[in-house]
Amino acid sequence: MAFINHLNEVYELAQEDSELGRILRRALKIIEDGLERYGSKGLSLAFNGGKDCTVLLHLYTAVLLRNTSYSSSSSSLLTVYITQPNPFPEVEEFVESTVKRYGLDLIAIEGPMKQALGAYLEKRPSVKAVLIGTRRNDPHGEHLKDNIPTDPGWPPFMRIYPIIDWNYTHIWDFLRRLKVPYCKLYDLGYTSLGSIDNTHPNPDLLNPNQPCGFDPAWKLIDQTRERCGRY
C-alpha cells in the first residue's frame, strides 16, 4: 500500500491522555470492529476530498496497516466518490493525488446519492458496509449512531460513522498534528466544500493582509460558523 510513512503516529496519538486521544481511540475501535465484521472486501469508504473524509481515510489506512493479512497483500482500499456538478478543480486534483497516495480502488459515480450508491453496489457487490465521515453537527447528523443500516428503499448496506462525535477543532488538530495532506482550498479560507456554485470562502476568515484575502480554515474560532461559506 502507498503512503505508509507516519501512519503509526495515528496509534501513538491515540494513546495520549487528551480529548483528541480519547475520541481517536473510539474512532479506531469503530473502524477495527467494522473491518473484523465485514473484511476489507466488504468494507468501503465514502470519499469526496473534504477534510472529514480525509481524516477518516487516514484512520482507516492506519487500521488496515496494523492488520497483517491486509498490509501484506496488494489489495487496494475500496472507495466510492459521489460526484456533483461543477466541482472545484482543486478538489478533483486532490482526489486524484489521494488515490495515488493511499492506493485507492476508487469508483467515481455522478449523483444523486441514492442512485449512485445503487450503481456502486452493482459494481462492487462484495461491499456490505461503508465508512462515512459525517459528524454530529453536519446536516442530518444530530441523531446518528455509530452503525446504522440504510433506510428502507435505499441500497442495502451498513453505514458506519467513526468520527460522528468529532468537532471542527478535532478535525484540524488531527490533520495539522500529523501533517496529513488536505485539499488546498482550506488554506484559502474555505471551511466547508461543496461545488463552485454553492461554496465560497468563509466570511469569518476575511483578512486583507493575506494574499488570498482570507485566513486558512483551521483559524476559524466559532465552530458553529463552519458552513457559513455554503449557500
Side-chain angles (χ1 to χ4, degrees):
M1 172 178 288
F3 193 59
I4 63 172
N5 293 338
H6 309 304
L7 285 173
N8 60 315
E9 295 178 0
V10 172
Y11 277 88
E12 292 175 1
L13 180 57
Q15 299 308 309
E16 283 193 1
D17 184 16
S18 64
E19 183 176 349
L20 181 58
R22 176 182 58 79
I23 63 166
L24 179 52
R25 288 193 296 274
R26 175 166 171 74
L28 291 171
K29 181 63 165 60
I30 293 171
I31 297 171
E32 289 165 351
D33 290 347
L35 183 61
E36 181 178 359
R37 180 175 181 182
Y38 299 104
S40 61
K41 295 300 184 184
L43 188 59
S44 184
L45 183 143
F47 186 77
N48 63 4
K51 61 187 182 303
D52 301 329
C53 59
T54 297
V55 167
L56 183 55
L57 172 59
H58 205 71
L59 297 183
Y60 185 30
T61 308
V63 170
L64 286 170
L65 288 172
R66 282 173 67 98
N67 182 299
T68 305
S69 61
Y70 185 89
S71 60
S72 61
S73 75
S74 59
S75 299
S76 297
L77 191 156
L78 299 180
T79 321
V80 58
Y81 174 24
I82 310 298
T83 65
Q84 56 185 325
N86 207 14
F88 284 95
E90 294 88 345
V91 171
E92 297 296 281
E93 292 170 6
F94 177 68
V95 170
E96 183 178 347
S97 66
T98 302
V99 168
K100 297 176 182 177
R101 182 178 301 115
Y102 290 86
L104 305 182
D105 173 10
L106 182 141
I107 294 180
I109 305 177
E110 186 176 352
M113 183 72 67
K114 185 175 182 179
Q115 289 83 347
L117 289 171
Y120 179 65
L121 292 184
E122 289 180 0
K123 293 176 180 291
R124 292 291 182 270
S126 65
V127 170
K128 306 302 178 185
V130 178
L131 298 165
I132 303 172
T134 299
R135 292 184 285 116
R136 189 74 63 193
N137 62 337
D138 288 333
H140 313 296
E142 182 180 0
H143 301 295
L144 293 177
K145 300 178 181 179
D146 299 341
N147 290 256
I148 306 177
T150 50
D151 295 331
W154 279 69
F157 60 87
M158 183 66 71
R159 296 172 289 171
I160 304 178
Y161 300 99
I163 61 170
I164 186 65
D165 290 318
W166 289 42
N167 61 33
Y168 185 85
T169 300
H170 296 143
I171 293 294
W172 282 111
D173 283 351
F174 180 88
L175 290 173
R176 297 183 70 233
R177 284 195 59 179
L178 296 189
K179 297 180 173 59
V180 179
Y182 56 82
C183 180
K184 60 186 177 183
L185 287 176
Y186 291 115
D187 287 333
L188 303 178
Y190 292 84
T191 54
S192 179
L193 300 181
S195 71
I196 291 177
D197 301 322
N198 63 14
T199 308
H200 303 274
N202 192 315
D204 287 20
L205 293 174
L206 186 66
N207 183 353
N209 294 321
Q210 292 283 7
C212 67
F214 293 86
D215 281 329
W218 59 267
K219 285 194 172 184
L220 184 68
I221 296 174
D222 185 353
Q223 299 185 48
T224 66
R225 302 275 295 169
E226 176 183 353
R227 297 180 65 85
C228 286
R230 300 284 291 272
Y231 299 97

